Amino acid sequence: MGITMKQNESKILIFGGTGYIGSHMVKASIKLGHPTYVFTRPDSDKKVLLDEFQSMGAIIIKGRLDEHDKLVEALREVDVVISALAYPQVLDQLNILEAIKIAGNIKRFLPSDFGVEEDRVSALPPFEAFLDKKRRIRRAIEEAKIPYSFISANCYGSYFINYLLNPSHSNKQDITVYGSGEAKAVLNYEQDIGIYTIKVATDPRTRNRIVVFRPPGNAVSQLELISLWEKKTGKIFKKTHISEEEIVTLSQTLPDPQNIPVSILHSVFVKGATADFEIGGDDVEASSLYPDLKFSTVDEQLDVFLKNPPKPASAAFE
Ligand code: NAP
Ligand code: EMF
């Protein structure tokens, strides 16, 4: 043994690190003590956030996803790669995979999944086509024999609380309910998704596994969510149901890509796709892996909206 201490924290490179979910991963990686690298476009409009990351100790690498040599050079600096790129960039991840193969040193790759578990559920055609792109990336990673973790983070909690309850429109008394409102959906707080993703990315137990974030207390129906929010705010909302039939018709008649979100609503809130399949075989559920960590409950996530409401966001589909 030499006298130099081995640096035992994996170095982590994050693509899409300035994004809605990626920013939580960057902050979690830094917080957990990993040397953290953020790959960002030279013309990114996220300058303020990038400056913040840099002041927290992150290393910013500027490049485009079609710059092969730059990708290989960046990858050779690190051990673990996480992609939190948006949906329109899903197939561009093939460039990252090609560079990972050439670099030859990457111990774990987490592609941009982080939603409904695409290898365990099926959906209406527009969402199925969305999921198929993500499946294509998974199959290419497996074929290349690059060690991976495939994370299903289910619903981003604040994102969907904003979408379903519209808490920032305090004068709005109407809430749309998709289907009967009784199917359960799993809502996970974005900061927790950040921390658990970094833990999973560096955990030998989650190598080459599908990892599902489904804490037992975080599955709620829309009706339960509304009732929890009514108790907290002291308001009563008027619920307007859209039937399953209407949702299916919308998925068939809306133009692409507006047919995708409505198909996601069908999958998650009518079919219960995040809560109802059995997690078995080699798949891992994350909430019991780390005894010192816990996922925020839905109740705690709603409390955040009373104090410091997270801004509504809308994901990119094209
Ligand atoms: P996002 O914020 O829309 O984008 C992430 C980053 O991608 C951006 O900050 C940007 O980084 C980079 N980017 C944007 N356009 C690009 C382009 N044309 N070329 C290259 N890079 C580009 O992403 P997100 O909404 O967090 O989505 C990440 C993942 O979460 C996706 O897989 C999405 O499907 C999923 N998602 C899941 C849920 C859920 O509830 N489970 C909700 C929303 C999204 P730079 O500017 O730094 O280059
Ligand atoms: O905006 C969304 O849905 C609104 C109805 C999309 C972005 C959210 C999303 C959620 C997912 O699983 C819950 C994208 C991909 C997913 O797998």
Side-chain angles (χ1 to χ4, degrees):
M1 295 288 277
I3 50 165
T4 47
M5 287 260 287
K6 190 172 175 292
Q7 171 90 10
N8 60 10
E9 298 300 350
S10 305
K11 297 179 178 181
I12 301 183
L13 172 63
I14 302 175
F15 290 86
T18 60
Y20 181 78
I21 204 65
S23 61
H24 293 286
M25 295 173 186
V26 171
K27 287 177 181 169
S29 175
I30 296 168
K31 186 173 170 188
L32 293 173
H34 296 282
T36 302
Y37 298 68
V38 180
F39 195 96
T40 177
R41 290 168 295 170
D43 56 351
S44 172
D45 57 5
K46 308 284 177 71
K47 300 278 178 239
V48 175
L49 187 57
L50 286 164
D51 285 346
E52 186 190 344
F53 288 164
Q54 202 161 20
S55 72
M56 294 167 83
I59 294 160
I60 311 300
I61 301 177
K62 295 194 182 206
R64 295 192 320 266
L65 298 171
D66 59 2
E67 290 183 286
H68 176 77
D69 294 345
K70 187 158 270 174
L71 286 175
V72 173
E73 192 188 340
L75 291 163
R76 289 205 163 124
E77 295 294 316
V78 302
D79 307 298
V80 169
V81 180
I82 299 172
S83 166
L85 289 167
Y87 169 67
Q89 280 70 53
V90 162
L91 293 182
D92 294 340
Q93 295 178 112
L94 291 171
N95 297 343
I96 301 174
L97 182 59
E98 284 314 304
I100 288 177
K101 289 192 216 169
I102 301 296
N105 59 305
I106 295 305
K107 299 189 189 70
R108 196 77 64 92
F109 181 28
L110 280 67
S112 190
D113 288 325
F114 307 116
V116 165
E117 176 34 54
E118 64 251 32
D119 286 329
R120 299 288 176 263
V121 303
S122 58
L124 293 176
F127 189 33
E128 192 64 19
F130 173 111
L131 295 176
D132 252 340
K133 280 196 185 163
K134 294 190 171 188
R135 292 181 187 124
R136 236 180 102 182
I137 299 299
R138 285 187 174 187
R139 301 295 84 81
I141 295 168
E142 289 164 345
E143 197 177 330
K145 297 201 161 29
I146 302 300
Y148 63 82
S149 300
F150 296 150
I151 292 184
S152 167
N154 292 317
C155 297
Y156 299 170
S158 299
Y159 184 102
F160 274 92
I161 289 170
N162 265 317
Y163 192 92
L164 296 172
L165 302 178
N166 258 293
S168 56
H169 297 153
S170 53
N171 51 355
K172 196 170 167 283
Q173 303 291 317
D174 289 359
I175 290 184
T176 305
V177 178
Y178 304 95
S180 72
E182 285 164 345
K184 301 260 189 189
V186 177
L187 268 60
N188 293 320
Y189 191 42
E190 284 80 347
Q191 287 184 26
D192 299 336
I193 293 173
I195 293 279
Y196 276 83
T197 297
I198 301 302
K199 297 295 276 186
V200 164
T202 53
D203 186 337
R205 295 171 295 179
T206 55
R207 186 178 183 275
N208 295 345
R209 294 276 186 269
I210 288 174
V211 183
V212 181
F213 294 179
R214 191 197 282 164
N218 287 28
V220 283
S221 71
Q222 285 169 91
L223 296 183
E224 287 165 346
L225 187 69
I226 293 165
S227 146
L228 281 168
W229 189 234
E230 286 179 335
K231 287 200 188 92
K232 285 191 191 295
T233 57
K235 290 186 201 165
I236 299 294
F237 297 97
K238 177 174 175 290
K239 292 171 237 175
T240 309
H241 290 254
I242 306 192
S243 70
E244 172 169 14
E245 203 182 13
E246 281 175 88
I247 297 170
V248 172
T249 302
L250 284 171
S251 82
Q252 293 164 341
T253 53
L254 284 171
D256 193 55
Q258 283 126 269
N259 54 4
I260 301 173
V262 73
S263 305
I264 294 176
L265 293 170
H266 180 265
S267 182
V268 173
F269 297 107
V270 179
K271 293 295 185 195
T274 60
D276 76 345
F277 70 89
E278 213 181 300
I279 303 171
D282 279 348
D283 300 353
V284 180
E285 197 287 306
S287 65
S288 55
L289 289 178
Y290 311 105
D292 347 342
L293 287 180
K294 76 176 248 325
F295 279 96
S296 310
T297 62
V298 172
D299 201 68
E300 289 163 346
Q301 294 179 63
L302 286 172
D303 283 340
V304 177
F305 277 86
L306 292 177
K307 296 188 201 100
N308 188 14
K311 277 203 232 66
S314 65
F317 293 106
E318 63 181 350

